[in-house]
Amino acid sequence: MKKILFFSAMLSGSLFFAQKAKIYESPNYSINVPEGWKSTNDSEIVNIFPTSEIGAITISEYHDLALPKEEMKKFVLALYQSQDAESKVKEKKGSRGYTEYSYEHYDEKEKLFWTTKAFQKDKNLYLVSINCGQKFWNGNYMTLFNETFNSFKIKK
């Protein structure tokens, strides 16, 4: 009985604290934006962030980009000037024929956590990244950033 009550309390608590979201639509993708967060589109680079501006999710898309699949892991590491081994960039087959690359990086100098996903298919590339200050990368902000990040969907 205690387990049932505990499970019920956890379920109702998570529903109570669940954030409402609106959908940011582009011709090629969509992503959920938590209520109260802002989104900007600067030269086709989309930024989604809480009003406190303690971090952001950035989305950029490239078409007609002749980047060989064999170079993608190096490319992702180069974004952060990282000396990590290529094996730190995880690769898997994603939906709609895209190969998904994921990488997590901590910038010691700036005290920022970075999480990046790159989706590549033929000459199309979508880069989706989170950057968030170390002292905010916990609890509710981490959950909201990850839920938003994981809601990214390619349409084509």
Side-chain angles (χ1 to χ4, degrees), residues 52-132:
S52 61
E53 298 185 17
I54 52 89
I57 294 175
T58 301
I59 305 166
S60 51
E61 60 181 296
Y62 305 91
H63 304 284
D64 297 321
L65 180 68
L67 181 63
K69 185 176 180 176
E70 302 79 39
E71 298 294 316
M72 270 304 296
K73 290 183 176 186
K74 290 177 188 170
F75 174 77
V76 171
L77 292 171
L79 292 171
Y80 304 101
Q81 301 175 346
S82 174
Q83 300 301 314
D84 285 346
E86 287 183 33
S87 61
K88 292 271 189 163
V89 180
K90 305 299 179 205
E91 176 182 348
K92 71 176 186 177
K93 278 291 183 192
S95 63
R96 302 186 187 266
Y98 282 84
T99 301
E100 180 181 321
Y101 300 87
S102 58
Y103 177 65
E104 293 182 0
H105 176 72
Y106 177 66
D107 183 332
E108 293 280 343
K109 183 180 175 187
E110 300 294 326
K111 304 289 186 218
L112 288 173
F113 280 102
W114 288 88
T115 302
T116 298
K117 286 186 183 178
F119 301 88
Q120 183 187 36
K121 177 181 172 184
D122 303 323
K123 292 184 176 184
N124 297 318
L125 175 66
Y126 294 89
L127 285 174
V128 184
S129 63
I130 298 172
N131 71 72
C132 185

